[in-house]
Amino acid sequence: MAKKQKIEGQSSLSSLSWCSLDEDIIYSIMNRLHYVDQLRFRAVCKNWREANLEGVKYADKLPWMMALDPGSGSCHLYDSFYRRKHTIKTTITSKGIFIGASILASKHGWVLLGKIDQETGHSGLLFFYNPFCDKIIHLPKLHHPYYLRATFTKSPVCSDCEIFLLDVDHRKNKIQINTCRVGDPKWSGLFFDRGDFAQSFQVEYMDGILYATSSNRTSVGAFNVALQEWKTFPCPPDDENHCKITESLIKCEDGNLLLAQFGVNRLPHRDWTIFRLDRSRMKWIQVKRIDNGSLFMGYTPLFVPLEKASGLTDTIHWHECYRPGRYSTRCPKILEIYSWDLIEVNGGIREEYPKLWLLPPQP
C-alpha cells in the first residue's frame, strides 16, 4: 500500500508543468532578474509572457548608456551589468531617421528627439524612440528653433503622458511653452513675459510644475500647469570659491528636486555643488552628501537610488565630451564599468557621438 502511494505521488508531481507557475512566483522571480534576463524569462512560454506583472522592477542598479550617430543614423546600447555593447540594426535605424537628430530628453526607456530642417534652421520632426523594443512614436510637427528644451511626464505609451517644449523668443522678449499629448493633432502654445530669464539650459517636470534653468544662472523658471502661470525665483548665489558654468535639474524618486551646478573651483576636488529645492519656501538648500544614491550627469541627468553597500553612493559621474570615450569620475568602479569604445573608425581612432544615460522601461 505504501509503495502504491509513493508511485501516485510521483505521478502527481510529474504532471506539473513549469508553465503553470503561480503569478506570485513569477513575480518574485522577475523582481530578481536584470532587464535582459527578464526578456529571456518571458520568452520561455505564453503563460510567463502574459502573467500580470504590474509593479515588477528589474534588478539593474546602474543605468545603461545609449550613443547616437546623427551622421550615419546608427544607434548603440551598452548594458552596464553584462558590460556588453549592442548595435541596433533594424528597419527603423536603416531608414536614417536619426540622421541629423538631436537628443532632447529621455525617461522610462524612451528618448525624445528632434530633427532640424537644414534650410530653415528650425526643427520640424519630433518623435520618441525606444531602443529596447525598437519602436517609434511620432508627435505633431512644430517649426521651432534648434535650441528648444523639452521633457515629458510619463512613458509615451500612457494616454496621459504630456510633453513640454520651452524656448525663449528674444525678439519678442517672450517665454514660449508648447504642450501636447501623444495622438494630439497639434501643439498648444502659451507665451509669457521673459523678464530677466535668459535662454534655458534644461527643463524638468515635477508634481504639476515645469521647472527651467536659465543660462544667466541667476534664476529658475516655474510654469504651473494647472494655473497656467509662469514665475521665476532665485538660483543659489555664487560663492567666492565657485564660478558656475552650467546647471542641471534632477528629479529624484523620493520627491526631491535637485539642482547640480558645475563650475570652476579654486578649491580642489569640488567640481559639482548640489542643492535641494525646499518647495514650501521655494529656496535652495545645499546638499552635503547624497547618501541614498548617485548622480549621472549629461544630456539627460539621472538620480539613481543605490544602497550604501554598493560603494557608489555620494558619487557624481559625467561625460567628458572633449575626450572621446572618457568619463569624469573619481569612482574606480564606474571607470571600470563604463570604459568601452562606442565606435571605432579609421584605424581604430574613436569618434565621439552624443551619449546619454538611460534606464530600461519597466515590464
Side-chain angles (χ1 to χ4, degrees), residues 4 22 25 64 103 140 149 247 312 323:
K4 183 178 180 181
D22 291 338
I25 296 177
W64 288 45
I103 298 168
R149 298 295 180 258
E247 296 176 321
L312 295 174
R323 299 178 69 184

Side-chain angles (χ1 to χ4, degrees), residues 285-302:
I285 310 298
Q286 186 168 352
V287 176
K288 300 297 184 181
R289 291 183 57 84
I290 311 170
D291 291 325
N292 60 339
S294 181
L295 296 179
F296 290 79
M297 310 302 296
Y299 280 100
T300 53
L302 287 175

Side-chain angles (χ1 to χ4, degrees), residues 13-221:
L13 288 173
S14 63
S15 67
L16 293 176
S17 169
W18 283 102
C19 293
S20 61
L21 287 177
D22 291 338
E23 283 195 350
D24 57 343
I25 296 177
I26 296 175
Y27 187 96
S28 180
I29 294 172
M30 284 282 285
N31 263 326
R32 290 165 171 79
L33 297 178
H34 292 268
Y35 178 75
V36 170
D37 298 322
Q38 285 184 348
L39 297 179
R40 294 168 178 158
F41 180 85
R42 300 195 73 172
V44 168
C45 67
K46 182 179 180 181
N47 285 350
W48 293 9
R49 188 162 50 253
E50 295 181 351
N52 181 9
L53 299 175
E54 183 178 354
V56 75
K57 296 184 178 181
Y58 41 77
D60 299 67
K61 299 301 182 184
L62 296 177
W64 288 45
M65 187 180 289
M66 174 179 163
L68 185 67
D69 176 5
S72 69
S74 59
C75 181
H76 309 267
L77 271 180
Y78 180 72
D79 180 347
S80 59
F81 179 75
Y82 286 108
R83 304 185 187 184
R84 187 176 301 164
K85 181 177 71 173
H86 308 273
T87 298
I88 302 173
K89 295 180 180 179
T90 66
T91 55
I92 289 178
T93 57
S94 65
K95 291 180 180 178
I97 193 168
F98 300 119
I99 295 176
S102 301
I103 298 168
L104 301 178
S106 73
K107 290 180 183 179
H108 313 291
W110 290 86
V111 184
L112 178 59
L113 301 110
K115 292 189 71 169
I116 308 303
D117 184 333
Q118 298 299 326
E119 294 183 0
T120 64
H122 291 64
S123 58
L125 178 64
L126 293 157
F127 60 96
F128 285 105
Y129 176 64
N130 187 324
F132 297 96
C133 61
D134 195 39
K135 290 185 179 179
I136 278 186
I137 298 177
H138 290 282
L139 296 173
K141 288 187 177 181
L142 177 71
H143 293 289
H144 218 282
Y146 174 80
Y147 43 82
L148 60 86
R149 298 295 180 258
T151 190
F152 51 102
T153 58
K154 295 181 178 181
S155 168
V157 298
C158 300
S159 59
D160 56 346
C161 169
E162 193 160 8
I163 303 101
F164 296 91
L165 301 177
L166 183 145
D167 187 37
V168 179
D169 189 330
H170 291 276
R171 290 177 300 177
K172 298 180 179 179
N173 209 32
K174 296 287 185 180
I175 298 286
Q176 181 177 355
I177 298 176
N178 288 280
T179 63
C180 84
R181 294 186 177 185
V182 174
D184 286 352
K186 62 180 181 179
W187 294 83
S188 298
L190 293 170
F191 290 87
F192 302 93
D193 290 333
R194 181 174 70 89
D196 62 351
F197 190 87
Q199 187 57 48
S200 178
F201 270 148
Q202 189 215 348
V203 295
E204 183 58 272
Y205 175 88
M206 175 179 277
D207 298 335
I209 306 291
L210 178 70
Y211 297 93
T213 58
S214 173
S215 59
N216 61 15
R217 296 176 288 277
T218 60
S219 61
V220 173

